[in-house]
Amino acid sequence: METSTSMHSQAASAKQARFAEPSARPKRGKASGDKRRTDTRARLAAATVDIIDASGWPSVTLGAVAKACSISTPAMYKHFPDKAALFEAAQEEMSGRLGALADAAAHESPVDSIFDVGERLIAYSEEHPNLLEFAFFGPSSNNTSAVDAGAGARWELLAFVHREIGRLVESQPLPPWRSADEAGRDLFVSLWSFIQGYSKLVTSGTVRHRSAFLKAALRSVLSIATAQTSDEEPPSPAEEAQAAQAKGGDCADKK
């Protein structure tokens, strides 16, 4: 009996020592403190995303997030001065998650990439409707829909979409009166509007998602890259022929 009690006591002591190790380690000054602060911020952001996933972003409170991470509400203010800052961090967390989703949709063809990311976003919206609602329409959604952000956008999904649109525009034979910048901008507005609106209809139960419809709709949206959407009138066929003839004459003179 004594042997069993002694072994139990030794095991308990070893367990206590093991859990005591992190606090017993020497502090490394500011760098260690910064890392702990960063880790806590990351945990708080992830907890915010979990709460949004479960019950929607309007239900988020600093107290609920603090409780989920086992810290006091006053301690929250050391990391986030208000709910707006917390939502910004939650958007960054969502950026990483949806960025990984977009990366998995990358294909050699930009059209295939856009089709695939659209399909994955709709599937994600069906599984996590509150998260996509927050990402697209939440209080920090201005980060997720910047028309002129380009491929260097901070929000990873946004950067992916801009990058694929850029590749698509480069691969299209644009009309002479259609600039690549204008085509890219119009295409982004059309594509983003459709994805946001369609995902909202699907998650609300208004429509049932059909892959064939999504592909046909996206194909129609993508055709806007070569459409005439500016206020400037395109040249008439006669003007185009005249311009081509003049260009041919210039080439002949150079020879």
Side-chain angles (χ1 to χ4, degrees), residues 91-104 117 120-121 124-125 131-132 135-136 144 155-158 160:
Q91 278 285 17
E92 290 182 12
E93 172 72 14
M94 282 302 302
S95 174
R97 297 186 186 190
L98 294 180
L101 178 149
D103 287 342
V117 80
R120 289 170 188 267
L121 278 174
Y124 191 89
S125 73
L131 289 184
L132 212 65
F136 283 164
T144 73
W155 211 64
E156 294 178 35
L157 175 61
L158 187 64
F160 176 90

Side-chain angles (χ1 to χ4, degrees), residues 53 61 68 102 119 166 178 180 203 206 221 245:
D53 194 13
T61 64
E119 191 70 49
R178 188 85 157 120
T203 56
T206 305
V221 167
Q245 186 177 12

